[in-house]
Amino acid sequence: MEISIGGMIGLYGGMLCGLLGWWFGRKKARENRGLDELYYHIWQRARSYAWYATLGAIYIFFSLIMFGVELSAAMVLALILLIHLGSWAIIGMILTINMTVSPSKQLSRVAIAWIVVACSFTLFTVLSIVTGNWLFLLWSILPNVVALTTVALATRIKPVQKNIE
Amino acid sequence: MKNRIRELRKVKQITQEELSKQVGVSRQSIIAIESGKFNPSIELAYNISKVFNCTIEEVFIFEEEGM
């Protein structure tokens, strides 16, 4: 049995950094009365959306396996962990910004989200072609899921605003 | 749900920061509530109304969908 030192540093180091960031973030927020009901509302919603992203990723991986693609357990677990935690954090940040910016700026974020989709897909396609390893394409899942969620959130907000007007 | 927080703040001459301190939430929460992006809990709505010496119905205007 081989022990991967790099993997262990990445896994536990990442967890430690994440926990420290989370702890300091909460400490700073508490000083500004930031741990209020809006905070819990945003981060509960972000966690909910992150599970949708994870569910989507699981279905994508199962589909790939059914198409005969060989995926290692470590790779799939790493990607699912990345997609879950990454989408949780990014969606939380997007929702936090959404609460305090004007609706006109939300529209421009839709454009940015589409640019992210196009860029990440192009980048990982080029990487796959250059290296000859198409599995690089899997890394475009996270930015694409987050960007498409941003588009979905922004377009869901628009009709409500029209009703108010 | 619409609200009259901005209007009442101007009458009482208090800033978003002052209001947030009085009700114990962040300024971002007051911004989100004022702009109608976030509906506060009944407890927070009551505390905000109390700052303005109003009832909840006087500060928050509930509108049913389709009305």
mmCIF file of all heavy atoms in Angstrom, chain B residues 5 7-8 10 14-15 17 20-22 28 30 32 35-38 44 46 51 58-59 64-67:
data_model
loop_
_atom_site.group_PDB
_atom_site.id
_atom_site.type_symbol
_atom_site.label_atom_id
_atom_site.label_comp_id
_atom_site.label_asym_id
_atom_site.label_seq_id
_atom_site.Cartn_x
_atom_site.Cartn_y
_atom_site.Cartn_z
ATOM 1 N N ILE B 5 -39.130 51.456 4.743
ATOM 2 C CA ILE B 5 -37.975 51.686 5.631
ATOM 3 C C ILE B 5 -37.185 52.927 5.214
ATOM 4 O O ILE B 5 -36.865 53.772 6.047
ATOM 5 C CB ILE B 5 -37.052 50.438 5.680
ATOM 6 C CG1 ILE B 5 -37.806 49.262 6.302
ATOM 7 C CG2 ILE B 5 -35.789 50.720 6.479
ATOM 8 C CD1 ILE B 5 -37.054 47.949 6.305
ATOM 9 N N GLU B 7 -38.111 55.544 3.531
ATOM 10 C CA GLU B 7 -38.903 56.751 3.804
ATOM 11 C C GLU B 7 -38.886 57.081 5.316
ATOM 12 O O GLU B 7 -38.625 58.224 5.708
ATOM 13 C CB GLU B 7 -40.336 56.436 3.323
ATOM 14 C CG GLU B 7 -41.342 57.513 3.495
ATOM 15 C CD GLU B 7 -42.770 56.948 3.316
ATOM 16 O OE1 GLU B 7 -42.960 56.002 2.528
ATOM 17 O OE2 GLU B 7 -43.673 57.463 4.008
ATOM 18 N N LEU B 8 -39.101 56.063 6.135
ATOM 19 C CA LEU B 8 -39.142 56.269 7.585
ATOM 20 C C LEU B 8 -37.761 56.635 8.150
ATOM 21 O O LEU B 8 -37.660 57.412 9.097
ATOM 22 C CB LEU B 8 -39.686 55.019 8.290
ATOM 23 C CG LEU B 8 -41.162 54.714 8.028
ATOM 24 C CD1 LEU B 8 -41.509 53.298 8.460
ATOM 25 C CD2 LEU B 8 -42.069 55.707 8.730
ATOM 26 N N LYS B 10 -35.556 58.382 6.552
ATOM 27 C CA LYS B 10 -35.329 59.794 6.220
ATOM 28 C C LYS B 10 -36.080 60.704 7.184
ATOM 29 O O LYS B 10 -35.557 61.737 7.603
ATOM 30 C CB LYS B 10 -35.740 60.058 4.775
ATOM 31 C CG LYS B 10 -34.659 59.577 3.822
ATOM 32 C CD LYS B 10 -34.907 59.945 2.404
ATOM 33 C CE LYS B 10 -33.769 59.392 1.549
ATOM 34 N NZ LYS B 10 -34.115 59.297 0.155
ATOM 35 N N ILE B 14 -32.085 58.660 10.358
ATOM 36 C CA ILE B 14 -31.105 57.665 10.785
ATOM 37 C C ILE B 14 -30.538 56.949 9.559
ATOM 38 O O ILE B 14 -31.235 56.764 8.565
ATOM 39 C CB ILE B 14 -31.663 56.639 11.812
ATOM 40 C CG1 ILE B 14 -32.937 55.958 11.316
ATOM 41 C CG2 ILE B 14 -31.866 57.260 13.171
ATOM 42 C CD1 ILE B 14 -33.364 54.794 12.189
ATOM 43 N N THR B 15 -29.291 56.605 9.645
ATOM 44 C CA THR B 15 -28.625 55.932 8.516
ATOM 45 C C THR B 15 -28.904 54.423 8.581
ATOM 46 O O THR B 15 -29.388 53.916 9.591
ATOM 47 C CB THR B 15 -27.104 56.159 8.577
ATOM 48 O OG1 THR B 15 -26.628 55.570 9.790
ATOM 49 C CG2 THR B 15 -26.732 57.628 8.543
ATOM 50 N N GLU B 17 -26.655 52.186 8.730
ATOM 51 C CA GLU B 17 -25.730 51.646 9.735
ATOM 52 C C GLU B 17 -26.340 51.774 11.139
ATOM 53 O O GLU B 17 -26.292 50.823 11.931
ATOM 54 C CB GLU B 17 -24.395 52.405 9.647
ATOM 55 C CG GLU B 17 -23.318 51.936 10.601
ATOM 56 C CD GLU B 17 -22.797 50.523 10.335
ATOM 57 O OE1 GLU B 17 -22.875 50.076 9.189
ATOM 58 O OE2 GLU B 17 -22.341 49.877 11.305
ATOM 59 N N SER B 20 -29.178 49.356 11.501
ATOM 60 C CA SER B 20 -28.679 47.975 11.634
ATOM 61 C C SER B 20 -28.151 47.712 13.043
ATOM 62 O O SER B 20 -28.349 46.636 13.591
ATOM 63 C CB SER B 20 -27.607 47.695 10.585
ATOM 64 O OG SER B 20 -26.430 48.398 10.876
ATOM 65 N N LYS B 21 -27.503 48.716 13.645
ATOM 66 C CA LYS B 21 -26.996 48.570 15.021
ATOM 67 C C LYS B 21 -28.160 48.428 16.004
ATOM 68 O O LYS B 21 -28.109 47.624 16.928
ATOM 69 C CB LYS B 21 -26.151 49.792 15.397
ATOM 70 C CG LYS B 21 -24.706 49.676 14.980
ATOM 71 C CD LYS B 21 -23.898 50.851 15.455
ATOM 72 C CE LYS B 21 -22.505 50.794 14.850
ATOM 73 N NZ LYS B 21 -21.785 52.058 14.990
ATOM 74 N N GLN B 22 -29.203 49.215 15.786
ATOM 75 C CA GLN B 22 -30.339 49.188 16.716
ATOM 76 C C GLN B 22 -31.101 47.862 16.687
ATOM 77 O O GLN B 22 -31.638 47.433 17.694
ATOM 78 C CB GLN B 22 -31.298 50.339 16.410
ATOM 79 C CG GLN B 22 -30.723 51.691 16.827
ATOM 80 C CD GLN B 22 -31.724 52.804 16.669
ATOM 81 O OE1 GLN B 22 -32.862 52.690 17.107
ATOM 82 N NE2 GLN B 22 -31.319 53.882 16.024
ATOM 83 N N GLN B 28 -25.694 45.232 5.438
ATOM 84 C CA GLN B 28 -26.077 44.537 4.198
ATOM 85 C C GLN B 28 -27.509 44.003 4.301
ATOM 86 O O GLN B 28 -28.243 44.002 3.320
ATOM 87 C CB GLN B 28 -25.106 43.379 3.911
ATOM 88 C CG GLN B 28 -23.794 43.785 3.270
ATOM 89 C CD GLN B 28 -22.890 44.554 4.213
ATOM 90 O OE1 GLN B 28 -22.939 44.370 5.420
ATOM 91 N NE2 GLN B 28 -22.080 45.440 3.672
ATOM 92 N N ILE B 30 -29.940 45.332 6.062
ATOM 93 C CA ILE B 30 -30.860 46.473 5.927
ATOM 94 C C ILE B 30 -30.984 46.869 4.451
ATOM 95 O O ILE B 30 -32.091 47.134 3.959
ATOM 96 C CB ILE B 30 -30.375 47.678 6.789
ATOM 97 C CG1 ILE B 30 -30.362 47.299 8.285
ATOM 98 C CG2 ILE B 30 -31.238 48.926 6.557
ATOM 99 C CD1 ILE B 30 -31.701 46.954 8.903
ATOM 100 N N ALA B 32 -30.570 44.895 1.857
ATOM 101 C CA ALA B 32 -31.348 43.851 1.167
ATOM 102 C C ALA B 32 -32.837 43.953 1.501
ATOM 103 O O ALA B 32 -33.684 43.760 0.622
ATOM 104 C CB ALA B 32 -30.816 42.478 1.559
ATOM 105 N N SER B 35 -34.376 47.159 -0.232
ATOM 106 C CA SER B 35 -34.553 47.016 -1.683
ATOM 107 C C SER B 35 -35.542 45.900 -2.039
ATOM 108 O O SER B 35 -35.785 45.650 -3.217
ATOM 109 C CB SER B 35 -33.196 46.753 -2.344
ATOM 110 O OG SER B 35 -32.631 45.590 -1.795
ATOM 111 N N GLY B 36 -36.079 45.245 -1.036
ATOM 112 C CA GLY B 36 -37.084 44.200 -1.271
ATOM 113 C C GLY B 36 -36.523 42.876 -1.725
ATOM 114 O O GLY B 36 -37.263 41.991 -2.163
ATOM 115 N N LYS B 37 -35.201 42.702 -1.616
ATOM 116 C CA LYS B 37 -34.593 41.442 -2.061
ATOM 117 C C LYS B 37 -34.681 40.364 -0.998
ATOM 118 O O LYS B 37 -34.511 39.189 -1.283
ATOM 119 C CB LYS B 37 -33.119 41.679 -2.416
ATOM 120 C CG LYS B 37 -32.933 42.435 -3.698
ATOM 121 C CD LYS B 37 -31.465 42.703 -3.940
ATOM 122 C CE LYS B 37 -31.292 43.532 -5.193
ATOM 123 N NZ LYS B 37 -29.913 43.979 -5.334
ATOM 124 N N PHE B 38 -34.882 40.785 0.240
ATOM 125 C CA PHE B 38 -34.929 39.825 1.344
ATOM 126 C C PHE B 38 -36.080 40.177 2.278
ATOM 127 O O PHE B 38 -36.216 41.328 2.693
ATOM 128 C CB PHE B 38 -33.590 39.853 2.099
ATOM 129 C CG PHE B 38 -33.562 38.986 3.327
ATOM 130 C CD1 PHE B 38 -33.678 37.601 3.225
ATOM 131 C CD2 PHE B 38 -33.411 39.541 4.591
ATOM 132 C CE1 PHE B 38 -33.658 36.805 4.354
ATOM 133 C CE2 PHE B 38 -33.383 38.748 5.727
ATOM 134 C CZ PHE B 38 -33.507 37.380 5.604
ATOM 135 N N LEU B 44 -37.502 40.187 13.264
ATOM 136 C CA LEU B 44 -36.722 41.328 12.771
ATOM 137 C C LEU B 44 -37.654 42.439 12.278
ATOM 138 O O LEU B 44 -37.392 43.629 12.521
ATOM 139 C CB LEU B 44 -35.777 40.862 11.653
ATOM 140 C CG LEU B 44 -34.863 41.920 11.025
ATOM 141 C CD1 LEU B 44 -34.032 42.653 12.077
ATOM 142 C CD2 LEU B 44 -33.938 41.281 9.995
ATOM 143 N N TYR B 46 -40.556 43.098 13.420
ATOM 144 C CA TYR B 46 -41.096 43.734 14.629
ATOM 145 C C TYR B 46 -40.076 44.706 15.213
ATOM 146 O O TYR B 46 -40.421 45.842 15.579
ATOM 147 C CB TYR B 46 -41.467 42.646 15.653
ATOM 148 C CG TYR B 46 -41.879 43.188 16.994
ATOM 149 C CD1 TYR B 46 -43.130 43.755 17.189
ATOM 150 C CD2 TYR B 46 -40.997 43.137 18.070
ATOM 151 C CE1 TYR B 46 -43.500 44.256 18.427
ATOM 152 C CE2 TYR B 46 -41.353 43.644 19.308
ATOM 153 C CZ TYR B 46 -42.607 44.202 19.486
ATOM 154 O OH TYR B 46 -42.953 44.706 20.713
ATOM 155 N N VAL B 51 -38.325 50.491 16.080
ATOM 156 C CA VAL B 51 -37.392 51.630 15.978
ATOM 157 C C VAL B 51 -38.128 52.870 15.459
ATOM 158 O O VAL B 51 -37.882 53.988 15.907
ATOM 159 C CB VAL B 51 -36.215 51.266 15.026
ATOM 160 C CG1 VAL B 51 -35.353 52.480 14.708
ATOM 161 C CG2 VAL B 51 -35.353 50.165 15.636
ATOM 162 N N GLU B 58 -47.540 48.991 9.168
ATOM 163 C CA GLU B 58 -47.244 50.356 8.704
ATOM 164 C C GLU B 58 -45.888 50.427 7.992
ATOM 165 O O GLU B 58 -45.673 51.318 7.176
ATOM 166 C CB GLU B 58 -47.251 51.323 9.895
ATOM 167 C CG GLU B 58 -48.661 51.663 10.358
ATOM 168 C CD GLU B 58 -48.675 52.412 11.680
ATOM 169 O OE1 GLU B 58 -47.796 52.180 12.527
ATOM 170 O OE2 GLU B 58 -49.595 53.221 11.864
ATOM 171 N N VAL B 59 -45.015 49.499 8.306
ATOM 172 C CA VAL B 59 -43.675 49.509 7.699
ATOM 173 C C VAL B 59 -43.606 48.552 6.496
ATOM 174 O O VAL B 59 -43.073 48.891 5.453
ATOM 175 C CB VAL B 59 -42.586 49.114 8.740
ATOM 176 C CG1 VAL B 59 -41.197 49.152 8.115
ATOM 177 C CG2 VAL B 59 -42.646 50.037 9.936
ATOM 178 N N GLU B 64 -50.316 40.323 -2.158
ATOM 179 C CA GLU B 64 -50.517 38.961 -2.650
ATOM 180 C C GLU B 64 -50.189 38.907 -4.123
ATOM 181 O O GLU B 64 -50.410 39.873 -4.854
ATOM 182 C CB GLU B 64 -51.970 38.528 -2.433
ATOM 183 C CG GLU B 64 -52.204 38.017 -1.028
ATOM 184 C CD GLU B 64 -53.605 37.488 -0.856
ATOM 185 O OE1 GLU B 64 -53.995 36.639 -1.654
ATOM 186 O OE2 GLU B 64 -54.291 37.958 0.060
ATOM 187 N N GLU B 65 -49.674 37.771 -4.592
ATOM 188 C CA GLU B 65 -49.333 37.621 -6.012
ATOM 189 C C GLU B 65 -50.584 37.718 -6.866
ATOM 190 O O GLU B 65 -51.619 37.167 -6.525
ATOM 191 C CB GLU B 65 -48.637 36.293 -6.256
ATOM 192 C CG GLU B 65 -47.133 36.429 -6.169
ATOM 193 C CD GLU B 65 -46.413 35.154 -6.518
ATOM 194 O OE1 GLU B 65 -46.787 34.540 -7.523
ATOM 195 O OE2 GLU B 65 -45.496 34.796 -5.772
ATOM 196 N N GLY B 66 -50.464 38.467 -7.987
ATOM 197 C CA GLY B 66 -51.589 38.602 -8.909
ATOM 198 C C GLY B 66 -52.503 39.749 -8.568
ATOM 199 O O GLY B 66 -53.460 40.014 -9.280
ATOM 200 N N MET B 67 -52.226 40.436 -7.455
ATOM 201 C CA MET B 67 -53.061 41.592 -7.084
ATOM 202 C C MET B 67 -52.659 42.835 -7.850
ATOM 203 O O MET B 67 -51.525 43.030 -8.169
ATOM 204 C CB MET B 67 -52.943 41.868 -5.582
ATOM 205 C CG MET B 67 -53.896 41.023 -4.781
ATOM 206 S SD MET B 67 -53.761 41.371 -3.021
ATOM 207 C CE MET B 67 -54.697 42.879 -2.934
#
